[in-house]
C-alpha cells in the first residue's frame, strides 16, 4: 500500500506542474477540464488494472494498453516537471530572500512569476516523446525492419560461400493484436529467400494457446534448408500460475507440438548438420541460459557432443548473457551466435551506422546488433514482437539476414 501511495503522490506532483505549464497555452476552462479528465482516466485505468496485479496471473492486452497510455502521459509530464523544478531552484531561494529582507512591505507574492517561455519550451520538448510513444503504440510495434549483415570467415567451408541465414527472435505471439500485420511480416521474411530460418526463442508470453491464431500464418515460412528453433525464458510457462506441474509440463509439450506443426525443428541442447557438396555446417541449439535469475537450462557440452572442434558452428542461444559468460571463452570456437531476449528495451534512439542508445545498455552489455570478440560474432536480434509495453519507440521489430562469405575474416 505504501508504495502505491508514494507512486500516486509523485504522479500528482508531476500532474500539478504539467498543468501549470499547460495553462500558459490556453485559458479555456473546457480544455483545462479535458486535461484533468484525460489524466484521471489514464491514472484510474492504470491503478484499476495493476492494483494487486500478480504477474503469475498473466498479462493481458488491457494490462498492456493501460501501461502504454500511462507511460505516454507520465514521460512528458516528468520532462515538464524537471524543467519547472529547474526554474524553482531559482524562484524558491529568491522568495526566501524576499521574505526575510522585505517582510510585510513586499509587494504581492514573494515568489516571482513563472516565465511563460520556459513552460512553453518544456511543453514543446515534452510533445516529442508523447507523439513518439503514441506512434510506437499504434504503428511502431509493426514497423518491421530487415537488417542485413555480411560476415567473412577464412575457415568457412567453400560450399557455404554466400550462405544466407535469416534470424527471427522474441515473437511473443500473445501480445499481437493485428493478424494482417503479422502476416505481412511473415511474407517479408520469405521474400529474403534465405537458405535457412533460425528462431531464437520466446515464441509466446506464457502459454502455448497464444500461438494458435497464428499457426497458419507462421506455417507459411519457407527456407531451402529448413526452419530451426530454440526455447526462450518465456516459453517454459514460468511466469504464470498452473493448477499442477503436470499442466505446466503439458503446456510446454503443446508449444513443442505447435512449433513442429509450423515446421520448426526445435533444438533442445542438440545439434544438426547442414550438408552441401560433402562439407557441413554445424547448427547448435541450447535451451535458455541467462544471468539475473533467468532459467539456466542450456547445456553447451551436451548440445555439441556430436560436433567437432574444427566444424564451422552457428549457435542459437536466446539470452546474450550466455555468450558473455560461457560461450565466447569456451574451448570450442563458435563462429556465429544468435540471441535475442533484450528487445532493445523496445525504446531508444538509433541512427544506423552512427549512434545507438537504449536503457537496455544499463542492463545488458550486449543488447542489440552485431558484436565481434576474438573472431567470434554475436548478433542480438531486437525482437519480432513486443512484451508489456504495447509498442516500440526507436527500436523497431527486426528481421536479421546474415550472409556468410569465404575470405579474409571480418574485423
Amino acid at each position: 500500500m505504501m508504495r502505491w501511495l508514494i507512486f500516486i503522490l509523485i504522479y500528482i506532483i508531476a500532474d500539478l506542474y504539467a498543468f501549470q505549464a499547460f495553462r500558459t497555452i490556453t485559458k479555456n476552462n473546457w480544455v483545462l477540464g479535458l486535461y484533468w479528465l484525460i489524466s484521471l482516466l489514464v491514472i484510474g485505468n492504470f491503478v484499476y488494472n495493476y492494483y494487486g496485479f500478480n504477474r503469475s496471473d498473466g498479462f493481458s492486452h488491457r494490462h498492456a494498453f493501460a501501461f502504454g497510455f500511462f507511460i505516454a502521459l507520465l514521460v512528458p509530464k516528468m520532462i515538464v516537471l524537471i524543467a519547472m523544478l529547474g526554474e524553482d531552484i531559482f524562484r524558491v531561494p529568491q522568495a526566501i530572500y524576499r521574505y526575510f529582507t522585505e517582510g510585510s512591505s513586499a509587494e504581492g507574492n514573494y515568489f516571482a512569476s513563472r516565465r511563460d517561455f520556459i513552460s512553453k519550451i518544456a511543453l514543446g520538448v515534452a510533445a516529442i516523446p508523447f507523439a513518439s510513444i503514441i506512434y510506437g503504440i499504434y504503428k511502431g510495434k509493426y514497423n518491421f525492419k530487415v537488417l542485413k549483415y555480411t560476415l567473412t570467415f577464412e575457415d568457412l567451408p567453400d560450399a557455404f560461400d554466400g550462405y544466407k541465414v535469416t534470424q527471427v527472435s522474441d515473437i511473443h505471439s500473445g501480445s499481437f493484436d493485428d493478424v494482417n500485420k503479422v502476416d505481412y511480416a511473415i511474407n517479408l521474411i520469405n521474400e529474403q529467400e534465405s537458405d535457412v530460418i533460425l528462431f531464437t526463442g520466446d515464441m509466446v508470453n506464457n502459454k502455448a494457446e497464444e500461438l494458435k491464431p497464428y499457426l497458419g500464418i507462421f506455417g507459411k515460412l519457407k527456407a531451402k534448408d529448413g526452419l530451426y528453433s530454440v526455447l526462450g525464458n518465456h516459453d517454459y510457462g514460468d511466469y504464470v500460475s498452473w493448477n499442477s506441474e503436470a499442466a505446466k509440463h503439458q503446456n510446454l509439450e503443446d508449444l513443442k507440438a505447435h512449433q513442429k506443426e509450423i515446421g520448426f525443428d526445435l533444438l533442445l541442447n542438440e545439434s544438426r548438420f547442414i550438408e552441401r557438396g560433402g562439407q557441413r555446417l554445424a547448427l547448435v541449439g541450447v535451451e535458455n541460459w541467462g544471468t539475473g535469475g533467468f532459467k539456466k537450462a542450456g547445456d553447451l557440452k551436451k548440445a555439441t557432443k556430436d560436433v567437432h572442434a574444427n566444424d564451422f558452428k552457428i549457435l542459437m542461444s536466446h539470452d546474450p548473457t550466455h555468450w558473455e559468460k560461457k560461450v565466447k571463452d569456451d574451448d570450442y570456437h563458435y563462429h556465429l551466435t544468435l540471441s535475442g531476449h533484450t528487445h532493445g528495451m523496445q525504446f531508444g534512439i538509433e541512427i544506423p551506422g552512427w549512434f545507438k542508445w537504449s536503457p537496455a545498455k544499463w542492463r545488458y552489455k550486449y543488447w542489440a546488433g552485431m558484436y565481434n570478440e576474438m573472431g567470434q560474432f554475436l548478433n542480438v536480434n531486437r525482437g519480432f514482437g513486443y512484451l508489456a509495453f504495447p509498442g516500440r519507440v526507436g527500436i523497431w521489430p527486426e528481421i536479421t539476414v546474415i550472409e556468410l562469405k569465404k575470405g579474409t575474416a571480418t574485423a
Side-chain angles (χ1 to χ4, degrees):
M1 176 61 74
M2 181 57 68
R3 66 179 181 180
W4 277 99
L5 291 175
I6 294 173
F7 161 74
I8 292 173
L9 179 62
I10 292 173
Y11 187 88
I12 290 173
I13 292 172
D15 231 344
L16 290 172
Y17 269 94
F19 181 70
Q20 289 181 41
F22 194 71
R23 283 194 305 180
T24 63
I25 61 174
T26 181
K27 297 296 190 291
N28 187 301
N29 288 331
W30 286 102
V31 176
L32 296 176
L34 182 63
Y35 170 93
W36 284 115
L37 177 63
I38 293 174
S39 186
L40 289 172
L41 285 174
V42 169
I43 185 63
N45 186 48
F46 180 80
V47 172
Y48 172 77
N49 280 284
Y50 282 94
Y51 182 74
F53 173 74
N54 187 337
R55 186 179 179 185
S56 65
D57 294 330
F59 194 84
S60 66
H61 284 130
R62 65 181 178 85
H63 287 110
F65 280 101
F67 178 64
F69 291 132
F70 172 73
I71 291 297
L73 286 190
L74 179 63
V75 172
K77 288 177 181 179
M78 292 303 295
I79 291 174
V80 174
L81 172 63
I82 292 170
M84 298 184 75
L85 278 177
E87 185 182 18
D88 282 346
I89 291 175
F90 298 98
R91 292 175 72 233
V92 172
Q94 185 181 44
I96 295 172
Y97 175 78
R98 289 189 64 197
Y99 174 80
F100 285 106
T101 58
E102 299 179 26
S104 58
S105 63
E107 295 184 7
N109 196 309
Y110 292 115
F111 281 91
S113 298
R114 286 198 179 278
R115 287 169 286 184
D116 285 355
F117 83 92
I118 290 181
S119 296
K120 290 176 179 177
I121 289 174
L123 286 171
V125 173
I128 297 173
F130 175 75
S132 298
I133 292 170
I134 295 299
Y135 174 83
I137 292 174
Y138 284 99
K139 295 288 186 180
K141 61 189 177 186
Y142 296 123
N143 186 23
F144 295 98
K145 301 296 183 184
V146 178
L147 302 185
K148 297 185 177 183
Y149 300 92
T150 299
L151 303 179
T152 306
F153 302 90
E154 293 177 359
D155 56 348
L156 178 71
D158 293 334
F160 290 91
D161 188 17
Y163 196 77
K164 286 175 64 177
V165 176
T166 286
Q167 180 197 4
V168 182
S169 193
D170 298 88
I171 286 175
H172 289 285
S173 52
S175 296
F176 292 138
D177 56 11
D178 192 326
V179 173
N180 292 329
K181 295 293 186 182
V182 178
D183 185 60
Y184 160 78
I186 295 303
N187 291 330
L188 188 59
I189 293 172
N190 285 334
E191 286 174 9
Q192 307 313 309
E193 298 183 335
S194 289
D195 295 285
V196 68
I197 294 175
L198 306 180
F199 173 69
T200 48
D202 279 1
M203 183 69 76
V204 297
N205 294 342
N206 297 295
K207 297 182 177 181
E209 64 190 36
E210 299 168 18
L211 189 55
K212 286 184 178 180
Y214 303 97
L215 287 174
I217 296 174
F218 287 117
K220 296 192 301 182
L221 288 170
K222 297 182 181 66
K224 291 187 284 290
D225 289 331
L227 287 62
Y228 298 87
S229 63
V230 294
L231 296 175
N233 56 298
H234 280 267
D235 293 323
Y236 296 91
D238 287 341
Y239 306 129
V240 290
S241 299
W242 299 95
N243 293 330
S244 65
E245 280 300 314
K248 181 179 178 182
H249 174 75
Q250 186 58 51
N251 177 72
L252 182 56
E253 292 305 308
D254 290 344
L255 179 60
K256 293 176 182 177
H258 289 335
Q259 292 211 27
K260 185 176 182 180
E261 184 179 345
I262 290 170
F264 281 109
D265 182 358
L266 178 61
L267 304 185
L268 302 170
N269 294 323
E270 300 172 275
S271 62
R272 302 286 187 269
F273 293 101
I274 299 174
E275 298 187 359
R276 285 190 173 185
Q279 295 179 312
R280 70 181 191 177
L281 180 152
L283 186 61
V284 181
V286 297
E287 294 196 49
N288 191 81
W289 192 104
T291 61
F294 291 105
K295 184 183 288 291
K296 291 181 172 62
D299 188 333
L300 200 56
K301 297 303 180 187
K302 180 180 178 182
T304 56
K305 62 183 178 64
D306 297 322
V307 177
H308 299 159
N310 61 351
D311 281 325
F312 188 93
K313 307 171 197 68
I314 297 178
L315 171 66
M316 294 188 292
S317 181
H318 177 69
D319 192 317
T321 61
H322 188 217
W323 189 78
E324 177 185 359
K325 301 297 183 181
K326 296 288 185 179
V327 176
K328 67 187 178 78
D329 295 320
D330 190 80
D331 292 337
Y332 272 13
H333 181 89
Y334 291 90
H335 299 78
L336 174 62
T337 299
L338 303 177
S339 298
H341 182 63
T342 72
H343 300 204
M345 206 72 82
Q346 296 170 211
F347 176 85
I349 302 171
E350 285 199 78
I351 303 174
W354 291 88
F355 181 79
K356 179 176 68 177
W357 178 89
S358 164
K361 69 179 296 182
W362 299 330
R363 171 64 177 83
Y364 296 98
K365 182 177 181 180
Y366 308 99
W367 59 273
M370 190 70 70
Y371 301 89
N372 178 10
E373 290 189 15
M374 300 180 294
Q376 299 179 100
F377 290 90
L378 166 71
N379 184 64
V380 183
N381 184 286
R382 294 160 180 81
F384 184 90
Y386 51 93
L387 180 68
F389 175 66
R392 285 178 173 268
V393 180
I395 304 292
W396 311 121
E398 175 181 345
I399 298 163
T400 313
V401 178
I402 301 171
E403 184 178 11
L404 307 179
K405 298 292 290 182
K406 174 86 172 184
T408 302
T410 302

